[in-house]
């Protein structure tokens, strides 16, 4: 094939293999060659996009050179793979591995299967790695020298300059000396923090010591010094808690829990205490059980006061695990309130289920009130009428027993309750009014000083209480066959507890001074007996589930 450049005809030559020395002095083989009119040669890769009838642009290791066509006698063109391969060889000779790689890759685009170019590309990349490694080694050596200088400055107390010096040579995290650099920076911060603490600058010291722990989390010296910056400062409880809770040590985590306790962050503190409660040594040292009792008791009451009874129940169940002798009544109250929130209070049937639950849970006064509310919605409710009737019969029986025992004041008080609380039972009202009249007559006969009578009633309440305790001692089972009428120590205990409470409340009305701890302590006695009554007033006591099962 004949090409004409200017007035010169040229034959395209393929397969050039001779080595030609270009003007840079680097060896290059099988490239495009421009034979000049003056006998010289230009070797490289012809840039097609910039070559036209008036000029030729050729790419060499020195860059691109544009030559007028009039100065070119002829052109020897090779394939792109050959030309870029030769150019890559020239770059390798000059030590420019990046450009060599670029040239080999360009040649491979036109001839992907060229094994020679593939091998040369790999060799060039190896050259880059060798060069990079040598450069990195020199840089690392320099960094080590600068780090040593910075640490000498730190030991001399010139911390600001030491810090600036270290930051000026901060290596990449992939550098082999990165770990050494971080340790040096941690050592700098530690010396700096110690000095600031010695100068009573606790804020500055805490900042520097925290930096140490970011770089070296296990640095025990930094931990000890940091805690010194918190000592005696109530405003540092937050920092104290955060610091200790990051530790894996149970002892330190409990110190963090103590800080949370002081911050009144009870839920967070409780989680930590629960984690270590089974460790007898830590439990004794940090008084975990007592702390948990206080925390959980507070938490269930707090949630109850906010109306979140599910959460209150959750914490009460945890509380009863750490204090088994606690009054179980909050469990009943929370269960009742949860059910109440789910109940349609305008539906008598739904409300009857609620009242029945209250009764089963030992909330007798609440159950009575619910049954009365049902009757206000549906006066003919047989379930509510039947449920209330048993309480009305019980109160009337108590009034009759008080009368028979000669406790006329108590009989009068109990008989007066029946018309107020159970007006829906006319037959009982007639019996109550008759008993009331009889008790009033007898009471007038034995009228005496009110304070003396009040004390006598208080003593009578003590007798009822003692009888209840005897029955409680005999009570061994809650299993009862309801189809048979049998003697029940549980029922007898509930009856006498109720009578004791009634006697004490009547005595307290007559003489309020009997409620004081320095006299007859009736307020405490009434509360104690009420708790016991709530637990035994029904066949089934409140069930406290064990969350560990």
């Amino acid at each position: 094939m004949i090409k004409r450049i200017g007035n010169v005809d040229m034959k395209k030559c393929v397969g050039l293999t001779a080595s030609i020395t270009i003007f840079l002095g680097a060896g290059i083989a099988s490239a495009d060659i421009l034979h000049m009119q003056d006998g010289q040669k230009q070797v490289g890769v012809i840039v097609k996009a910039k070559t036209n009838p008036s000029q030729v642009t050729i790419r060499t290791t020195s860059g691109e050179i544009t030559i007028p066509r009039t100065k070119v006698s002829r052109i020897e063109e090779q394939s792109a793979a050959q030309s870029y391969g030769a150019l890559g060889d020239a770059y390798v000779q000059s030590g420019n591995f990046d450009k060599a790689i670029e040239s080999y890759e360009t040649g491979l685009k036109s001839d992907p299967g060229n094994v020679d170019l593939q091998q040369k590309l790999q060799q060039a990349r190896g050259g880059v790695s060798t060069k990079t490694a040598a450069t990195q080694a020199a840089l690392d050596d320099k960094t080590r020298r600068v780090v040593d200088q910075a640490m000498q400055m730190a030991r001399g107390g010139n911390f600001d300059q030491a810090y600036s010096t270290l930051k000026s040579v901060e290596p990449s995290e992939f550098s082999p000396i990165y770990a050494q650099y971080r340790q040096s920076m941690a050592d700098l911060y530690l010396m700096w923090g110690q000095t600031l603490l010695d100068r009573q600058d606790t804020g500055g010291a805490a900042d520097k010591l925290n930096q140490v722990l970011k770089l070296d989390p296990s640095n025990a010296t930094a931990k000890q010094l940091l805690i010194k910056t918190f000592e005696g400062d109530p405003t540092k409880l937050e920092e104290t808690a955060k610091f200790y809770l990051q530790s894996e040590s149970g002892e330190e985590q409990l110190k963090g829990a103590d800080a949370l306790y002081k911050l009144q962050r009870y839920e967070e503190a409780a989680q930590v205490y629960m984690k270590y409660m089974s460790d007898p040594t830590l439990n004794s040292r940090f008084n975990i059980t007592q702390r948990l009792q206080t925390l959980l008791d507070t938490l269930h009451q707090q949630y109850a006061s906010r109306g979140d009874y599910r959460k209150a129940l959750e914490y009460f169940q945890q509380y009863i695990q750490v204090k088994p002798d606690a009054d179980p009544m909050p469990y009943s109250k929370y269960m009742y309130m949860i059910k109440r929130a789910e109940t349609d209070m305008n539906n008598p049937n739904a409300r009857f289920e609620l009242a029945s639950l209250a009764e089963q849970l030992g909330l007798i006064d609440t159950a009575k009130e619910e049954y009365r509310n049902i009757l206000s919605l549906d006066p003919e409710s047989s379930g509510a009428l039947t449920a209330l009737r048993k309480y009305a019969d019980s109160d009337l029986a108590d009034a009759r027993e008080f009368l028979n025992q000669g406790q006329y004041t108590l009989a009068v008080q109990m008989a007066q309750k029946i018309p107020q609380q159970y007006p829906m039972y006319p037959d009982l009202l007639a019996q109550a009014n008759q008993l009331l009249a009889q008790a009033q007559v007898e009471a007038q006969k034995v009228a005496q000083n009110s304070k003396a009578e009040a004390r006598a009633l208080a003593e009578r309440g003590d007798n009822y209480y003692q009888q209840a305790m005897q029955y409680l001692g005999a009570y061994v089972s809650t299993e009862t066959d309801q189809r048979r009428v049998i003697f029940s120590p549980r029922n007898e205990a509930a009856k006498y507890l109720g009578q004791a409470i009634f006697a004490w409340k009547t005595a307290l009305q007559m003489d309020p001074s009997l409620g004081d701890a320095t006299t007859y302590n009736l307020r405490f006695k009434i509360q104690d007996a009420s708790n016991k009554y709530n637990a035994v007033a029904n066949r089934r006591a409140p069930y406290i589930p064990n969350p560990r099962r």
Side-chain angles (χ1 to χ4, degrees):
M1 178 178 180
I2 303 295
K3 281 193 175 182
R4 183 174 297 279
I5 299 179
N7 296 320
V8 182
D9 290 337
M10 294 165 286
K11 178 181 287 186
K12 182 179 181 182
C13 301
V14 180
L16 180 64
T17 58
S19 296
I20 304 168
T21 302
I22 63 172
F23 66 96
L24 290 175
I28 185 167
S30 300
D32 295 329
I33 302 173
L34 301 185
H35 293 270
M36 311 304 293
Q37 295 286 3
D38 59 6
Q40 295 188 18
K41 299 176 182 180
Q42 286 287 356
V43 182
V45 178
I46 294 176
V47 183
K48 301 292 185 181
K50 297 182 180 181
T51 296
N52 56 56
S54 64
Q55 63 185 24
V56 180
T57 300
I58 188 168
R59 181 175 296 134
T60 72
T61 55
S62 303
E64 292 183 357
I65 301 173
T66 299
I67 303 171
R69 290 272 186 164
T70 56
K71 294 185 177 183
V72 178
S73 62
R74 67 187 178 87
I75 299 176
E76 296 180 23
E77 284 191 73
Q78 305 300 313
S79 69
Q82 290 174 318
S83 298
Y84 278 104
L87 184 61
D89 292 345
Y91 278 126
V92 168
Q93 291 294 326
S94 65
N96 193 339
F97 293 102
D98 291 334
K99 285 292 186 180
I101 290 170
E102 180 183 334
S103 297
Y104 293 141
E105 288 176 341
T106 303
L108 283 169
K109 288 179 181 178
S110 65
D111 185 7
N114 192 309
V115 176
D116 184 51
L117 283 185
Q118 292 173 357
Q119 292 175 347
K120 289 181 177 181
L121 176 61
Q122 293 303 318
Q123 291 171 356
R125 286 174 175 166
V128 170
S129 299
T130 302
K131 180 180 177 181
T132 302
T135 302
Q136 185 63 50
L139 180 61
D140 291 345
D141 186 59
K142 176 185 176 182
T143 301
R144 289 190 185 92
R145 291 196 301 271
V146 173
V147 167
D148 289 341
Q149 294 171 4
M151 296 312 293
Q152 288 179 6
M153 297 175 192
R155 285 188 283 272
N158 196 346
F159 300 113
D160 288 307
Q161 186 176 354
Y163 174 79
S164 300
T165 301
L166 275 178
K167 290 298 288 184
S168 70
V169 292
E170 183 174 5
S172 162
E173 61 180 307
F174 303 108
S175 169
I177 66 167
Y178 183 67
Q180 178 185 344
Y181 174 85
R182 282 174 60 90
Q183 186 58 55
S184 296
M185 185 65 81
D187 293 342
L188 166 62
Y189 278 126
L190 183 61
M191 288 186 282
W192 204 344
Q194 175 72 76
T195 300
L196 291 172
L197 186 59
D198 292 342
R199 296 174 182 173
Q200 304 301 310
D201 182 357
T202 55
D207 177 65
K208 298 299 182 285
L209 294 169
N210 275 314
Q211 293 295 331
V212 175
L213 294 172
K214 287 181 181 179
L215 296 165
D216 182 11
S218 61
N219 193 306
T221 303
K223 289 181 180 180
Q224 294 171 356
L225 293 176
L226 183 60
I227 291 304
K228 285 186 178 181
T229 68
F230 300 156
E231 289 177 354
D233 187 349
T235 66
K236 295 295 184 180
L237 285 173
E238 189 81 34
E239 290 86 346
T240 301
K242 182 178 180 181
F243 170 78
Y244 279 128
L245 292 173
Q246 291 174 344
S247 172
E248 294 183 358
S249 162
E251 183 175 335
E252 292 195 349
Q253 286 192 14
L254 286 168
K255 290 180 181 179
D258 284 349
L260 291 174
Y261 181 88
K262 294 174 183 177
L263 288 167
Q264 298 185 5
R265 289 163 55 180
Y266 296 140
E267 288 183 275
E268 297 171 71
Q271 291 178 4
V272 182
Y273 288 133
M274 290 289 284
K275 182 178 177 182
Y276 295 102
M277 189 178 70
S278 59
D279 186 319
T281 302
L282 291 176
N283 194 333
S284 174
R285 180 175 176 185
F286 288 89
N287 207 7
I288 295 175
T289 298
Q290 185 176 346
R291 282 286 173 87
L292 273 174
Q293 289 176 353
T294 302
L295 288 176
L296 296 172
D297 190 28
T298 300
L299 284 169
H300 83 79
Q301 293 185 57
Q302 284 182 345
Y303 274 105
S305 68
R306 300 172 196 163
D308 189 345
Y309 293 103
R310 288 191 182 279
K311 201 70 177 177
L313 179 62
E314 176 186 332
Y315 278 114
F316 181 75
Q317 288 175 306
Q318 294 181 34
Y319 173 58
I320 208 76
Q321 296 302 317
V322 297
K323 189 172 175 57
D325 61 342
D327 177 12
M329 192 47 58
Y331 173 85
S332 298
K333 293 178 181 178
Y334 300 155
M335 289 291 289
Y336 167 77
M337 293 305 296
I338 291 170
K339 177 68 174 176
R340 182 183 177 86
E342 300 169 348
T343 299
D344 179 359
M345 303 301 280
N346 295 315
N347 184 329
N349 292 331
R351 200 153 187 174
F352 182 80
E353 291 183 9
L354 178 64
S356 298
L357 176 65
E359 195 169 30
Q360 293 171 14
L361 292 171
L363 304 176
I364 305 305
D365 290 339
T366 301
K368 290 180 183 178
E369 188 62 28
E370 286 297 346
Y371 288 132
R372 293 189 185 98
N373 290 333
I374 292 169
L375 291 174
S376 68
L377 295 173
D378 179 11
E380 302 301 322
S381 173
S382 60
L385 287 169
T386 301
L388 269 180
R389 177 70 187 226
K390 66 187 178 193
Y391 295 115
D393 287 340
S394 176
D395 287 350
L396 183 60
D398 282 347
R400 187 173 289 111
E401 185 171 347
F402 286 141
L403 180 64
N404 294 335
Q405 293 173 349
Q407 301 297 318
Y408 303 122
T409 301
L410 293 180
V412 169
Q413 292 289 331
M414 183 64 76
Q416 288 175 338
K417 283 177 52 181
I418 294 172
Q420 298 169 2
Q421 297 186 6
Y422 310 106
M424 66 288 293
Y425 307 111
D427 60 322
L428 290 184
L429 296 185
Q431 296 178 54
N433 288 333
Q434 182 180 2
L435 189 151
L436 174 62
Q438 184 180 354
Q440 287 174 332
V441 170
E442 295 299 329
Q444 290 175 357
K445 292 179 181 179
V446 294
Q448 53 183 313
N449 181 279
S450 61
K451 286 194 174 184
E453 185 177 0
R455 183 170 289 275
L457 286 175
E459 292 173 353
R460 186 60 183 170
D462 289 347
N463 292 333
Y464 289 139
Y465 182 83
Q466 291 302 323
Q467 287 179 276
M469 292 301 97
Q470 291 174 8
Y471 283 117
L472 276 181
Y475 173 68
V476 294
S477 173
T478 60
E479 296 299 322
T480 303
D481 186 346
Q482 295 182 339
R483 295 171 298 179
R484 297 163 54 194
V485 179
I486 62 173
F487 177 78
S488 169
R490 182 190 185 93
N491 292 339
E492 292 300 307
K495 182 185 80 171
Y496 282 111
L497 282 170
Q499 290 179 351
I501 293 168
F502 187 72
W504 284 334
K505 285 184 176 179
T506 302
L508 194 59
Q509 289 177 352
M510 296 177 66
D511 183 2
S513 69
L514 294 177
D516 297 339
T518 56
T519 56
Y520 219 78
N521 205 14
L522 285 187
R523 291 187 180 86
F524 172 78
K525 291 182 178 182
I526 291 169
Q527 181 61 51
D528 174 62
S530 296
N531 290 338
K532 290 182 172 63
Y533 176 79
N534 288 332
V536 302
N538 292 281
R539 192 177 70 85
R540 289 190 298 165
Y543 169 61
I544 306 298
N546 187 344
R548 296 179 181 175
R549 292 178 182 172

